[in-house]
Amino acid sequence: MTMITIKINREGKIEKYKVPENLTVLEALEYINREYGANIKFRASCRNSQCGSCALTINGSPRLACETLVKDNMLIEPLRGFRVVKDLIVDREPYYQKLKSIRNYIVRKKLPNGLEEIEESEVEKTKELRACIDCLSCLSTCPARSSSNFPGATVMRQLLRFSLDKRDEEDRERIAFFENLYFCTTCSSCVEVCPMNIKLERAIEKLRELAFKKGYFLEEHRKVRENILKSNRSIPKIKESFLEKAKEFYKAENEKLRVAFFTGCLIDYRNIAVGFDTIEVLLAHNISVYLPKAQVCCGSPMLRTGQRDVAEDLMEKNLETLESLDIDYIVTVCAGCGSTLKNDYKLKNVKDISELLIEFEREYKKLKLRVSYHDPCHLRRGQNVYKEPRELIKRIPGIEFLDSKPQCCGAGGGVRSGVKELAKLLGKRRAKQFRDVDKVITICPFCELHLKEQGLDVINLVSLLKKVI
């Protein structure tokens, strides 16, 4: 029988144990208590991924102990973000008290006469929302919850569940608003760790949509709406835009592909240099570039803050423009735009710049620089793109690359515009992880701007590549 070593964090002290391979973490804990008399305290019940009680932090991420297999040198810790009661048991009582405070049950002012039938279509509306097993993994990874009074995505999920139930007569949107509904950055870290694959960020967006319709919104988000209604951009224009300065078509000398460049608001109105860098980099890789002059805001700021009515108008305008083009791909250098085009527009021919360029073999000039990479949440989790930008950076001779664990900087989900103090706090925490590098690379104008305000030297990946083509 092959034995491997696992480590247990018992209230700050790391203990090592030999256990047989091919056990689940839950089985390994029971083996340790039985064979070593360790008396480690932990929670478990159903053993079948249904009760959620056995969730632990395993190698840095929340996982169910009953379904996670042990690996050599694995580190097992209590679920983060909660007070430790004993060993691997955390205090779940604050969560239960929060559920109690939001009246986590159907509220009726007048009961029906006799049996009340529920149509199947009504049941389907909340089916995914009811799949939660209360493992609390989402709460342990939420950056907003760790830095504010935001109760977490699963609490908002419960509020949406009752909001969509026609039997419920409570004002769930009002409760959500005063429970800091707009503190969520929509980073999707909760979705990433949810064992039931519940789309929690979509639940929050839907709840925000319902709240906005009832008049529960942040004034700063209303101002973004006004900008879009005036100019089809989420920010005001202060000078000649990138689309006004640039040509409509740039022909590559030895054309291999033709793409449409979807700029996004910040590149068009603020980061104009990044726009021209993108064109130069694409041309250097023998890619011809269309710049659709009729393109408008992708609608992401409206979708993330619940203002779907405006977003749908923007989507219609963009689809009319983009679907008429004779191109191979639509290319983005903004994580939010790319995620919106892929996931909300459902376009199949959209690529982040790193996804496209990684397919081309090209030698880059040497650049002696110590850099790291910041994962935009809407790129890593929204598009599952994280290997490609790292590989492109590593292709540059002379680059010293120091990787970093993904962590939300606080710029997304309307938090930067609407909850400035929380955004600043999250930005500062993220910035501390990059103090030992010359530059931080990213592929999101919002992350770039936000991290620059924390004192970091940040550039878009295309601006880095522009230096070495």
Side-chain angles (χ1 to χ4, degrees):
M1 180 170 57
T2 303
M3 303 290 282
I4 62 173
T5 300
I6 63 171
K7 298 177 288 185
I8 313 291
N9 184 345
R10 297 184 74 177
E11 301 177 49
K13 182 181 178 181
I14 304 299
E15 298 179 355
K16 295 182 179 181
Y17 298 95
K18 292 284 188 180
V19 301
E21 63 177 355
N22 299 322
L23 297 181
T24 65
V25 170
L26 181 54
E27 291 168 338
L29 291 172
E30 292 171 337
Y31 176 90
I32 291 168
N33 280 349
R34 184 174 63 251
E35 299 297 323
Y36 295 95
N39 197 28
I40 299 171
K41 305 298 183 184
F42 57 90
R43 279 195 177 97
S45 182
C46 73
R47 301 170 176 272
N48 195 34
S49 308
Q50 295 297 312
C51 71
S53 63
C54 68
L56 297 168
T57 301
I58 301 173
N59 279 348
S61 298
R63 296 285 185 267
L64 296 182
C66 67
E67 67 177 19
T68 305
L69 293 177
V70 293
K71 293 183 179 179
D72 194 35
N73 212 34
M74 174 182 276
L75 176 61
I76 301 167
E77 302 174 278
L79 204 60
R80 293 175 182 170
F82 298 88
R83 182 180 68 85
V84 177
V85 176
K86 181 69 174 177
D87 296 340
L88 300 177
I89 298 177
V90 298
D91 183 8
R92 299 164 67 98
E93 189 61 24
Y95 169 67
Y96 299 134
Q97 289 298 321
K98 177 57 67 177
L99 291 186
K100 183 179 179 180
S101 74
I102 65 170
R103 305 179 77 183
N104 194 45
Y105 48 85
I106 293 174
V107 176
R108 301 299 299 261
K109 296 176 182 177
K110 184 178 180 181
L111 295 177
N113 293 321
L115 181 65
E116 186 176 22
E117 293 186 4
I118 306 298
E119 295 179 5
E120 186 176 344
S121 60
E122 292 295 317
V123 176
E124 284 296 318
K125 284 182 181 179
T126 61
K127 184 176 181 180
E128 182 182 336
L129 299 173
R130 289 182 282 109
C132 176
I133 59 174
D134 279 343
C135 66
L136 309 190
S137 294
C138 60
L139 300 187
S140 76
T141 62
C142 177
R145 178 179 175 271
S146 69
S147 305
S148 71
N149 291 326
F150 180 61
T154 194
V155 174
M156 296 299 164
R157 171 196 63 81
Q158 288 284 48
L159 287 168
L160 177 61
R161 172 188 168 189
F162 292 115
S163 176
L164 294 174
D165 193 318
K166 66 180 183 180
R167 298 169 297 176
D168 189 77
E169 299 178 54
E170 179 63 274
D171 190 347
R172 300 296 178 173
E173 294 80 11
R174 181 181 184 279
I175 294 174
F177 181 80
F178 287 103
E179 288 289 350
N180 299 319
L181 170 62
Y182 292 97
F183 280 30
C184 171
T185 65
T186 65
C187 70
S188 294
S189 61
C190 52
V191 181
E192 190 174 44
V193 301
C194 177
M196 306 309 290
N197 298 312
I198 301 173
K199 297 179 178 64
L200 290 161
E201 91 288 5
R202 294 296 182 182
I204 285 178
E205 289 173 13
K206 180 62 179 178
L207 189 54
R208 287 177 174 178
E209 179 187 348
L210 298 175
F212 186 86
K213 288 178 180 178
K214 283 191 172 183
Y216 301 117
F217 55 82
L218 300 180
E219 188 55 39
E220 290 300 322
H221 293 165
R222 188 70 180 235
K223 291 179 182 178
V224 177
R225 178 190 182 92
E226 291 170 358
N227 287 333
I228 289 176
L229 292 175
K230 287 178 183 177
S231 66
N232 287 321
R233 290 297 189 198
S234 61
I235 53 177
K237 182 180 176 181
I238 57 176
K239 57 184 177 182
E240 188 179 17
S241 71
F242 169 64
L243 287 175
E244 289 172 335
K245 288 185 174 185
K247 296 187 301 182
E248 192 163 9
F249 180 65
Y250 292 82
K251 178 75 167 65
E253 187 173 344
N254 297 304
E255 182 183 294
K256 294 182 179 179
L257 287 176
R258 286 193 177 194
V259 301
F261 176 20
F262 192 88
T263 67
C265 298
L266 272 180
I267 289 177
D268 189 23
Y269 275 16
R270 295 289 186 275
N271 295 7
I272 294 174
V274 174
F276 284 109
D277 288 348
T278 302
I279 292 172
E280 285 195 46
V281 168
L282 289 170
L283 291 174
H285 288 80
N286 298 311
I287 302 170
S288 295
V289 186
Y290 276 107
L291 271 177
K293 297 299 180 103
Q295 63 178 285
V296 295
C297 172
C298 69
S300 179
M302 298 291 95
L303 290 167
R304 309 310 151 222
T305 57
Q307 303 179 68
R308 192 168 187 89
D309 56 336
V310 174
E312 288 176 349
D313 290 339
L314 296 169
M315 290 166 68
E316 186 177 341
K317 291 175 183 176
N318 280 323
L319 285 172
E320 184 179 351
T321 298
L322 296 172
E323 290 179 343
S324 65
L325 298 175
D326 182 18
I327 54 170
D328 298 296
Y329 299 106
I330 300 165
V331 172
T332 63
V333 291
C334 171
C337 290
S339 180
T340 301
L341 294 177
K342 290 177 180 178
N343 300 318
D344 296 285
Y345 288 52
K346 307 297 183 184
L347 293 174
K348 303 298 184 183
N349 63 335
V350 179
K351 283 185 179 286
D352 177 75
I353 190 78
S354 64
E355 287 182 282
L356 186 69
L357 297 184
I358 200 68
E359 299 174 3
F360 288 77
E361 293 292 335
R362 181 188 168 87
E363 291 187 5
Y364 297 119
K365 293 186 291 187
K366 186 174 182 179
L367 184 64
K368 190 172 178 56
L369 208 61
R370 194 177 196 185
V371 304
S372 190
Y373 175 72
H374 169 71
D375 284 281
C377 298
H378 289 160
L379 187 60
R380 183 184 182 95
R381 302 187 189 96
Q383 304 177 57
N384 197 34
V385 174
Y386 54 93
K387 295 179 182 177
E388 295 87 344
R390 288 172 167 79
E391 178 59 32
L392 281 171
I393 294 169
K394 291 175 183 177
R395 286 182 182 181
I396 301 172
I399 284 282
E400 182 183 355
F401 181 70
L402 301 180
D403 208 348
S404 69
K405 292 182 178 180
Q407 180 176 313
C408 179
C409 71
V415 173
R416 177 179 161 80
S417 61
V419 195
K420 293 180 172 60
E421 287 306 310
L422 174 57
K424 186 176 180 180
L425 177 59
L426 292 173
K428 283 184 175 180
R429 289 183 176 178
R430 181 55 169 153
K432 285 180 180 179
Q433 300 175 337
F434 294 118
R435 295 305 182 189
D436 296 329
V437 298
D438 302 317
K439 285 186 182 293
V440 178
I441 317 303
T442 191
I443 317 179
C444 175
F446 287 93
C447 294
E448 178 182 345
L449 175 62
H450 194 56
L451 290 174
K452 277 182 177 178
E453 291 176 349
Q454 315 313 318
L456 295 179
D457 189 350
V458 192
I459 62 172
N460 196 294
L461 175 64
V462 292
S463 297
L464 177 71
L465 294 177
K466 159 73 162 44
K467 297 176 180 290
V468 295
I469 56 174

